[in-house]
Amino acid sequence: MLDMALNNEVARELLEDHPVNTKSDLVLGHARDGAVSLLQRWPDMRDKLHLCLNQPLPPTLRQLAWKLHLRNSKLRRQYATAVKTESPSLKSPWHREICQKCEDILQSEPTFKPLANHYGVLTAMQSVLSYYHASLQTASTLPDMDYLLLVPFLAVTQNTLSGDSAAGDNVKALLVEEFITYMAQRPGYMRESGVRDFSDEKLVFADTVADLLQQHDDHLATAISTAFATEKGTPSRTNLVEGLKTLLQPLLRVMFVGYLQLDCLLYIWDQYIIGLDIPAYQVLPTISTVLLMLLREHFFKCKNSHQMEQVLTSHSRKLHMHQFQYEINKRFYRTLHAQIHKDDKSTMPVLDPTQSVGMPPPWTHWSVEKLPPRQKAHDRRQAREEREAQRLRFVEQQKAEVDMKQEDELARRKEEERQLELALEQSRRQQDQERLALEQELDTERQARYELQKRADNQIAILQKQIDELKRMKDTKPKSAAPSETLSALSLKAPPPSAATHVTRTWPVAPSPARSEPSRPPGTPDAVRAETIMRDLVGRIMQGTNFLAHGSDDEKDTLDQQTRQSLQAYNKDHREAEIEIFGRRISSRDWNNMASGERTNTQGRLTDAVRRKVEQRHGINGQRGANSQHSTNSRR
């Protein structure tokens, strides 16, 4: 069913107008995508990658396979915590030197040309190596081989990095996890010479390569042992092993990085990484043997060990991946296949009991697929036109729906605006009516006050005339006149009582002449009597003035209440004006700290702000002046 479904999908894609890929490419692409999806869902199936023996992994599958075989959640968490807390352990004390050396290596090494001038690769390499060196806590700088061993990981993640911007924290965390895990799992013969058991493992590795070389290419083994033999010595097994140790140690310390092109290098690393979970799988001795066999023609021309080392350095970069694949398939595939599948119970899962014997069935649907019916050119053109017309109808329908929604929304907004305008107009009309009523009441009150003031002025004028007459009579009276001949205070009529003591807004009728005059004590001098009359007169004048200013008892209470409300409104307007201008209340200390000019300017600004608020609250602006002018004219 799987091959049938895959074959039908590929056949459908090949019916496109101008297919670019071949059928094999499409099948491999779908198989690769399916394998990646399965591994992402079930990581424990990574041992199925053993089927890719002697085959380079596709880029997406390679990135996932390396991640699954070199994962270490503890290292990833440690790095993520250090990045989150901005820990000093992110950078090494040798950070500047590490950054400079990373840039030099990427620019100078010929096999790293695909990675040169790539800013994302450079920043990732600098950050990972600086963090790795800081985690080692050593006083010396990193060795050169550590720089080179990071390059394959950078090449695998290159497609996820931007060439113009720095690498992200997620990519750096993945590189840290894979690189540190790989460095910890390296065999002993790939480490520095100071590591314990280095010599023993190195000797075992060279002995294994010598066995493979003598088994498959004895002439090359003889040439190497001869080149490394002493002048008087004869070629021997010992010379061969020592010569292989000398030749292969530089390659193994960097695992062929810098000696091969990147595509060939990644192919070799794929063969090594897919077998990390199989201890019996030893692919590096086989790869080393194949490398020496591919350079056999150049080795035969060498006379000494130094020339062989130069051949290994210069000519290994010219080798190609298919050369390694050919030699491994021809001479070493059965051995490597047996090693990598040693612990496998079966090469493929058994889904059908009838297929449990032998290898899985061959591909049975390569040339048998269900193709859609072929149509003529005009039929296909008509179908395309119908699809295009249907698409256009669908687009127009969507556009019409969007336009209808916009129109409904616009109509709703207009209706809301109209309702709001009606409400505002009604509120404005009501305010205008209330303002007109208040203005009319104010004009009536002003007219009444004007009439009261006019009457009071007339009364004061009459009283002033009487006072003037009294003064004139006092000045014309003879000094030797008898007390009986002097002007008697009883002849003066008492001034009429003030309107404030009786009726609001009306003045009482003048008292009759029969009203009794104020009594005076017998024998009081004329000056005392005149002073008494004046005090009584001034008291009545003050009572009248008080009535004019404050009214009667009811009117006084009303005026006092309105005055308190006006003072409260003024204080509120004053506080809001301070907050509007200064953003806060102004204290007495702030006023005292101001200069004289600044205080005057501030007082003017506060007065203008308070005036605006009063006008806005009462809704009077230009009409107030007109009403005042009208009241003045009517009063006149």
Side-chain angles (χ1 to χ4, degrees):
M1 294 299 294
L2 177 62
D3 57 349
M4 182 177 64
L6 182 57
N7 213 48
N8 291 338
E9 177 66 20
V10 170
R12 187 190 63 79
E13 294 181 2
L14 288 175
L15 288 178
E16 296 180 355
D17 293 337
H18 302 286
V20 178
N21 298 323
T22 63
K23 185 174 183 179
S24 300
D25 295 334
L26 294 175
V27 170
L28 290 176
H30 285 293
R32 179 193 63 236
D33 297 339
V36 170
S37 300
L38 290 175
L39 284 176
Q40 288 176 345
R41 188 171 183 180
W42 294 293
D44 293 337
M45 295 181 64
R46 62 183 183 181
D47 57 338
K48 303 304 178 183
L49 292 172
H50 298 167
L51 297 173
C52 298
L53 179 64
N54 200 28
Q55 296 295 329
L57 298 178
T60 54
L61 186 59
R62 173 183 291 145
Q63 187 174 2
L64 181 60
W66 289 27
K67 178 181 178 181
L68 294 178
H69 283 87
L70 298 173
R71 59 182 177 181
N72 190 325
S73 58
K74 181 179 180 181
L75 291 174
R76 194 180 186 92
R77 285 196 302 269
Q78 289 177 354
Y79 182 78
T81 303
V83 171
K84 185 177 181 180
T85 59
E86 296 181 357
S87 174
S89 61
L90 287 174
K91 289 186 178 181
S92 166
W94 296 80
H95 181 72
R96 188 184 300 273
E97 291 76 5
I98 291 175
C99 293
Q100 185 62 40
K101 194 164 186 179
C102 290
E103 186 174 0
D104 295 340
I105 289 177
L106 291 179
Q107 294 294 334
S108 60
E109 181 59 39
T111 59
F112 299 162
K113 286 183 179 180
L115 304 178
N117 301 321
H118 196 290
Y119 186 69
V121 170
L122 177 61
T123 55
M125 185 177 185
Q126 293 170 349
S127 301
V128 172
L129 288 177
S130 182
Y131 177 78
Y132 174 66
H133 184 256
S135 64
L136 295 178
Q137 298 180 356
T138 58
S140 59
T141 185
L142 286 174
D144 294 343
M145 69 175 185
D146 292 350
Y147 292 88
L148 298 177
L149 288 174
L150 181 60
V151 172
F153 298 97
L154 297 172
V156 172
T157 58
Q158 183 182 6
N159 57 346
T160 62
L161 297 173
S162 174
D164 301 328
S165 59
D169 292 335
N170 292 333
V171 178
K172 292 179 183 178
L174 176 62
L175 290 172
V176 167
E177 176 185 6
E178 294 178 352
F179 178 68
I180 297 180
T181 304
Y182 165 76
M183 296 295 285
Q185 294 179 357
R186 286 180 302 165
Y189 53 81
M190 294 177 57
R191 300 171 183 263
E192 290 288 346
S193 58
V195 180
R196 184 180 61 183
D197 298 334
F198 168 76
S199 300
D200 296 339
E201 294 189 20
K202 182 179 177 183
L203 182 60
V204 172
F205 183 88
D207 191 68
T208 304
V209 174
D211 291 338
L212 293 175
L213 199 59
Q214 288 180 341
Q215 180 181 355
H216 296 282
D217 197 341
D218 187 57
H219 295 288
L220 179 59
T222 303
I224 294 176
S225 61
T226 303
F228 282 89
T230 59
E231 296 181 358
K232 297 182 180 181
T234 57
S236 62
R237 170 79 178 193
T238 304
N239 294 334
L240 177 60
V241 173
E242 292 297 329
L244 291 175
K245 288 171 56 177
T246 305
L247 280 177
L248 298 178
Q249 182 58 29
L251 281 78
L252 295 176
R253 291 178 68 242
V254 296
M255 199 171 170
F256 306 98
V257 179
Y259 288 88
L260 300 173
Q261 298 297 329
L262 276 181
D263 58 343
C264 186
L265 177 69
L266 295 179
Y267 153 75
I268 292 175
W269 278 60
D270 288 339
Q271 307 311 306
Y272 171 76
I273 289 178
I274 63 175
L276 284 177
D277 52 348
I278 306 297
Y281 177 67
Q282 298 293 329
V283 71
L284 291 182
T286 302
I287 296 293
S288 301
T289 304
V290 172
L291 177 62
L292 296 176
M293 293 173 63
L294 291 174
L295 298 176
R296 63 194 307 271
E297 299 297 332
H298 301 283
F299 284 144
F300 287 152
K301 300 177 183 179
C302 298
K303 302 300 181 180
N304 51 44
S305 60
H306 180 68
Q307 293 179 357
M308 285 191 172
E309 292 175 359
Q310 290 180 347
V311 166
L312 191 62
T313 304
S314 58
H315 292 277
S316 59
R317 298 173 183 175
K318 302 177 183 180
L319 300 178
H320 298 283
M321 177 178 59
H322 64 84
Q323 294 177 291
F324 283 89
Q325 290 180 290
Y326 177 79
E327 291 294 335
I328 291 177
N329 281 331
K330 181 180 179 181
R331 305 174 187 274
F332 306 99
Y333 184 81
R334 292 182 179 273
T335 303
L336 293 177
H337 185 273
Q339 292 177 358
I340 200 170
H341 292 289
K342 182 179 180 180
D343 297 333
D344 294 350
K345 295 181 181 179
S346 62
T347 56
M348 290 290 291
V350 178
L351 303 179
D352 188 354
T354 62
Q355 302 293 338
S356 59
V357 179
M359 296 295 293
W363 194 283
T364 58
H365 292 82
W366 182 259
S367 300
V368 181
E369 61 268 345
K370 295 181 181 180
L371 297 177
R374 300 289 295 179
Q375 295 179 349
K376 296 182 180 180
H378 68 275
D379 295 335
R380 293 196 300 270
R381 183 171 57 254
Q382 183 179 359
R384 286 196 301 270
E385 292 175 354
E386 292 178 356
R387 289 194 299 269
E388 183 66 18
Q390 183 179 2
R391 187 186 66 83
L392 292 176
R393 287 195 301 270
F394 180 73
V395 171
E396 291 178 357
Q397 182 180 0
Q398 286 185 336
K399 185 178 180 181
E401 293 178 356
V402 172
D403 294 340
M404 185 178 298
K405 289 182 180 179
Q406 292 179 352
E407 291 177 358
D408 295 341
E409 183 68 17
L410 184 60
R412 185 182 62 81
R413 291 183 179 179
K414 288 184 178 180
E415 181 64 21
E416 291 180 355
E417 292 177 358
R418 190 180 66 81
Q419 295 293 339
L420 182 59
E421 290 178 356
L422 291 177
L424 291 176
E425 184 65 24
Q426 183 178 1
S427 177
R428 191 182 299 109
R429 190 181 302 110
Q430 183 178 0
Q431 290 179 359
D432 293 340
Q433 293 176 358
E434 293 178 356
R435 185 174 64 254
L436 290 175
L438 291 175
E439 290 177 354
Q440 291 177 0
E441 184 178 356
L442 181 62
D443 292 340
T444 304
E445 182 69 21
R446 287 175 177 173
Q447 185 65 26
R449 290 295 180 90
Y450 173 75
E451 293 176 357
L452 289 176
Q453 182 66 29
K454 187 175 181 181
R455 292 180 184 179
D457 293 341
N458 293 334
Q459 292 292 333
I460 291 173
I462 295 172
L463 291 175
Q464 186 65 35
K465 289 181 180 180
Q466 293 179 0
I467 291 173
D468 293 340
E469 290 177 359
L470 288 174
K471 288 183 178 180
R472 187 170 55 253
M473 292 174 62
K474 182 178 180 180
D475 294 338
T476 56
K477 180 177 60 109
K479 295 183 180 181
S480 59
S484 61
E485 296 177 358
T486 60
L487 180 62
S488 175
L490 297 176
S491 63
L492 297 174
K493 301 298 188 294
S498 173
T501 60
H502 294 284
V503 184
T504 303
R505 297 187 181 181
T506 58
W507 291 88
V509 182
S512 62
R515 186 175 178 177
S516 61
E517 298 178 355
S519 61
R520 60 181 178 83
T524 302
D526 294 338
V528 175
R529 289 197 301 272
E531 183 178 0
T532 302
I533 293 172
M534 291 297 295
R535 287 180 179 178
D536 185 63
L537 180 61
V538 172
R540 291 181 179 274
I541 292 172
M542 292 179 63
Q543 290 179 359
T545 304
N546 186 36
F547 172 77
L548 291 175
H550 303 288
S552 62
D553 293 340
D554 296 336
E555 292 180 342
K556 183 177 180 181
D557 294 340
T558 303
L559 290 174
D560 291 343
Q561 183 177 2
Q562 293 180 355
T563 303
R564 284 193 297 270
Q565 294 177 355
S566 299
L567 289 175
Q568 292 176 358
Y570 174 79
N571 292 332
K572 181 180 178 181
D573 294 340
H574 196 274
R575 290 193 299 270
E576 293 179 353
E578 289 180 352
I579 296 174
E580 178 182 351
I581 295 174
F582 303 101
R584 60 184 180 85
R585 295 292 307 279
I586 303 300
S587 62
S588 59
R589 180 179 299 176
D590 297 333
W591 283 102
N592 295 332
N593 293 334
M594 291 182 184
S596 177
E598 184 181 0
R599 190 182 299 112
T600 303
N601 186 20
T602 303
Q603 185 63 36
R605 293 171 63 188
L606 288 174
T607 303
D608 295 339
V610 171
R611 185 183 297 109
R612 288 196 304 271
K613 293 183 177 297
V614 172
E615 292 176 354
Q616 293 175 1
R617 185 173 63 254
H618 294 287
I620 54 176
N621 190 0
Q623 296 181 0
R624 184 175 62 183
N627 294 333
S628 300
Q629 185 68 24
H630 174 71
S631 300
T632 304
N633 295 334
S634 62
R635 185 180 300 170
R636 290 178 181 177

PDB file of all heavy atoms in Angstrom, residues 401-414:
ATOM      1  N   GLU A 401     -19.036  40.207  -0.106  1.00  0.00           N
ATOM      2  CA  GLU A 401     -19.328  40.038   1.323  1.00  0.00           C
ATOM      3  C   GLU A 401     -18.574  41.051   2.160  1.00  0.00           C
ATOM      4  O   GLU A 401     -19.125  41.642   3.098  1.00  0.00           O
ATOM      5  CB  GLU A 401     -18.980  38.614   1.755  1.00  0.00           C
ATOM      6  CG  GLU A 401     -19.878  37.547   1.141  1.00  0.00           C
ATOM      7  CD  GLU A 401     -19.460  36.148   1.551  1.00  0.00           C
ATOM      8  OE1 GLU A 401     -18.420  36.037   2.248  1.00  0.00           O
ATOM      9  OE2 GLU A 401     -20.157  35.183   1.187  1.00  0.00           O
ATOM     10  N   VAL A 402     -17.314  41.260   1.796  1.00  0.00           N
ATOM     11  CA  VAL A 402     -16.532  42.245   2.547  1.00  0.00           C
ATOM     12  C   VAL A 402     -17.113  43.638   2.371  1.00  0.00           C
ATOM     13  O   VAL A 402     -17.239  44.416   3.332  1.00  0.00           O
ATOM     14  CB  VAL A 402     -15.058  42.193   2.091  1.00  0.00           C
ATOM     15  CG1 VAL A 402     -14.270  43.338   2.717  1.00  0.00           C
ATOM     16  CG2 VAL A 402     -14.425  40.865   2.469  1.00  0.00           C
ATOM     17  N   ASP A 403     -17.509  43.990   1.119  1.00  0.00           N
ATOM     18  CA  ASP A 403     -18.098  45.307   0.880  1.00  0.00           C
ATOM     19  C   ASP A 403     -19.409  45.469   1.637  1.00  0.00           C
ATOM     20  O   ASP A 403     -19.701  46.542   2.191  1.00  0.00           O
ATOM     21  CB  ASP A 403     -18.335  45.508  -0.619  1.00  0.00           C
ATOM     22  CG  ASP A 403     -17.034  45.567  -1.404  1.00  0.00           C
ATOM     23  OD1 ASP A 403     -15.985  45.836  -0.768  1.00  0.00           O
ATOM     24  OD2 ASP A 403     -17.054  45.341  -2.636  1.00  0.00           O
ATOM     25  N   MET A 404     -20.217  44.396   1.656  1.00  0.00           N
ATOM     26  CA  MET A 404     -21.492  44.473   2.370  1.00  0.00           C
ATOM     27  C   MET A 404     -21.261  44.674   3.868  1.00  0.00           C
ATOM     28  O   MET A 404     -21.948  45.487   4.512  1.00  0.00           O
ATOM     29  CB  MET A 404     -22.287  43.188   2.129  1.00  0.00           C
ATOM     30  CG  MET A 404     -23.692  43.205   2.722  1.00  0.00           C
ATOM     31  SD  MET A 404     -24.589  41.678   2.349  1.00  0.00           S
ATOM     32  CE  MET A 404     -24.628  41.787   0.556  1.00  0.00           C
ATOM     33  N   LYS A 405     -20.279  43.969   4.396  1.00  0.00           N
ATOM     34  CA  LYS A 405     -19.968  44.154   5.818  1.00  0.00           C
ATOM     35  C   LYS A 405     -19.494  45.573   6.092  1.00  0.00           C
ATOM     36  O   LYS A 405     -19.879  46.193   7.089  1.00  0.00           O
ATOM     37  CB  LYS A 405     -18.902  43.142   6.243  1.00  0.00           C
ATOM     38  CG  LYS A 405     -19.393  41.711   6.323  1.00  0.00           C
ATOM     39  CD  LYS A 405     -18.284  40.780   6.802  1.00  0.00           C
ATOM     40  CE  LYS A 405     -18.764  39.342   6.878  1.00  0.00           C
ATOM     41  NZ  LYS A 405     -17.678  38.421   7.327  1.00  0.00           N
ATOM     42  N   GLN A 406     -18.669  46.099   5.183  1.00  0.00           N
ATOM     43  CA  GLN A 406     -18.196  47.471   5.366  1.00  0.00           C
ATOM     44  C   GLN A 406     -19.343  48.470   5.274  1.00  0.00           C
ATOM     45  O   GLN A 406     -19.400  49.436   6.052  1.00  0.00           O
ATOM     46  CB  GLN A 406     -17.126  47.783   4.332  1.00  0.00           C
ATOM     47  CG  GLN A 406     -15.825  47.005   4.516  1.00  0.00           C
ATOM     48  CD  GLN A 406     -14.801  47.329   3.455  1.00  0.00           C
ATOM     49  OE1 GLN A 406     -15.094  48.030   2.495  1.00  0.00           O
ATOM     50  NE2 GLN A 406     -13.591  46.793   3.612  1.00  0.00           N
ATOM     51  N   GLU A 407     -20.275  48.246   4.311  1.00  0.00           N
ATOM     52  CA  GLU A 407     -21.416  49.143   4.204  1.00  0.00           C
ATOM     53  C   GLU A 407     -22.305  49.073   5.440  1.00  0.00           C
ATOM     54  O   GLU A 407     -22.779  50.107   5.936  1.00  0.00           O
ATOM     55  CB  GLU A 407     -22.220  48.791   2.953  1.00  0.00           C
ATOM     56  CG  GLU A 407     -21.495  49.111   1.647  1.00  0.00           C
ATOM     57  CD  GLU A 407     -22.302  48.675   0.432  1.00  0.00           C
ATOM     58  OE1 GLU A 407     -23.395  48.093   0.647  1.00  0.00           O
ATOM     59  OE2 GLU A 407     -21.852  48.932  -0.700  1.00  0.00           O
ATOM     60  N   ASP A 408     -22.559  47.861   5.936  1.00  0.00           N
ATOM     61  CA  ASP A 408     -23.360  47.727   7.160  1.00  0.00           C
ATOM     62  C   ASP A 408     -22.680  48.431   8.327  1.00  0.00           C
ATOM     63  O   ASP A 408     -23.335  49.122   9.122  1.00  0.00           O
ATOM     64  CB  ASP A 408     -23.578  46.247   7.487  1.00  0.00           C
ATOM     65  CG  ASP A 408     -24.424  45.550   6.428  1.00  0.00           C
ATOM     66  OD1 ASP A 408     -25.111  46.264   5.668  1.00  0.00           O
ATOM     67  OD2 ASP A 408     -24.384  44.300   6.359  1.00  0.00           O
ATOM     68  N   GLU A 409     -21.376  48.253   8.419  1.00  0.00           N
ATOM     69  CA  GLU A 409     -20.648  48.907   9.504  1.00  0.00           C
ATOM     70  C   GLU A 409     -20.706  50.422   9.368  1.00  0.00           C
ATOM     71  O   GLU A 409     -20.893  51.152  10.356  1.00  0.00           O
ATOM     72  CB  GLU A 409     -19.185  48.424   9.500  1.00  0.00           C
ATOM     73  CG  GLU A 409     -18.336  48.986  10.620  1.00  0.00           C
ATOM     74  CD  GLU A 409     -18.739  48.468  11.978  1.00  0.00           C
ATOM     75  OE1 GLU A 409     -19.447  47.435  12.035  1.00  0.00           O
ATOM     76  OE2 GLU A 409     -18.346  49.086  12.979  1.00  0.00           O
ATOM     77  N   LEU A 410     -20.581  50.905   8.111  1.00  0.00           N
ATOM     78  CA  LEU A 410     -20.649  52.347   7.888  1.00  0.00           C
ATOM     79  C   LEU A 410     -22.038  52.889   8.205  1.00  0.00           C
ATOM     80  O   LEU A 410     -22.179  53.961   8.826  1.00  0.00           O
ATOM     81  CB  LEU A 410     -20.281  52.648   6.436  1.00  0.00           C
ATOM     82  CG  LEU A 410     -20.211  54.132   6.034  1.00  0.00           C
ATOM     83  CD1 LEU A 410     -19.169  54.864   6.881  1.00  0.00           C
ATOM     84  CD2 LEU A 410     -19.896  54.278   4.561  1.00  0.00           C
ATOM     85  N   ALA A 411     -23.088  52.153   7.794  1.00  0.00           N
ATOM     86  CA  ALA A 411     -24.454  52.591   8.107  1.00  0.00           C
ATOM     87  C   ALA A 411     -24.708  52.602   9.608  1.00  0.00           C
ATOM     88  O   ALA A 411     -25.352  53.526  10.143  1.00  0.00           O
ATOM     89  CB  ALA A 411     -25.464  51.671   7.407  1.00  0.00           C
ATOM     90  N   ARG A 412     -24.202  51.588  10.284  1.00  0.00           N
ATOM     91  CA  ARG A 412     -24.379  51.548  11.746  1.00  0.00           C
ATOM     92  C   ARG A 412     -23.681  52.726  12.414  1.00  0.00           C
ATOM     93  O   ARG A 412     -24.224  53.363  13.321  1.00  0.00           O
ATOM     94  CB  ARG A 412     -23.831  50.224  12.279  1.00  0.00           C
ATOM     95  CG  ARG A 412     -24.061  50.011  13.759  1.00  0.00           C
ATOM     96  CD  ARG A 412     -23.458  48.696  14.215  1.00  0.00           C
ATOM     97  NE  ARG A 412     -22.027  48.685  14.020  1.00  0.00           N
ATOM     98  CZ  ARG A 412     -21.159  49.265  14.864  1.00  0.00           C
ATOM     99  NH1 ARG A 412     -21.593  49.892  15.946  1.00  0.00           N
ATOM    100  NH2 ARG A 412     -19.866  49.197  14.629  1.00  0.00           N
ATOM    101  N   ARG A 413     -22.475  53.019  11.939  1.00  0.00           N
ATOM    102  CA  ARG A 413     -21.755  54.151  12.522  1.00  0.00           C
ATOM    103  C   ARG A 413     -22.475  55.469  12.246  1.00  0.00           C
ATOM    104  O   ARG A 413     -22.558  56.344  13.121  1.00  0.00           O
ATOM    105  CB  ARG A 413     -20.335  54.197  11.964  1.00  0.00           C
ATOM    106  CG  ARG A 413     -19.448  53.052  12.444  1.00  0.00           C
ATOM    107  CD  ARG A 413     -18.045  53.201  11.903  1.00  0.00           C
ATOM    108  NE  ARG A 413     -17.175  52.123  12.364  1.00  0.00           N
ATOM    109  CZ  ARG A 413     -15.899  51.999  12.012  1.00  0.00           C
ATOM    110  NH1 ARG A 413     -15.344  52.881  11.199  1.00  0.00           N
ATOM    111  NH2 ARG A 413     -15.188  50.995  12.482  1.00  0.00           N
ATOM    112  N   LYS A 414     -23.006  55.611  10.993  1.00  0.00           N
ATOM    113  CA  LYS A 414     -23.740  56.842  10.690  1.00  0.00           C
ATOM    114  C   LYS A 414     -24.981  56.973  11.559  1.00  0.00           C
ATOM    115  O   LYS A 414     -25.317  58.070  12.026  1.00  0.00           O
ATOM    116  CB  LYS A 414     -24.123  56.843   9.216  1.00  0.00           C
ATOM    117  CG  LYS A 414     -22.957  57.069   8.271  1.00  0.00           C
ATOM    118  CD  LYS A 414     -23.434  57.150   6.833  1.00  0.00           C
ATOM    119  CE  LYS A 414     -22.262  57.432   5.896  1.00  0.00           C
ATOM    120  NZ  LYS A 414     -22.713  57.508   4.467  1.00  0.00           N
TER     121      LYS A 414
END
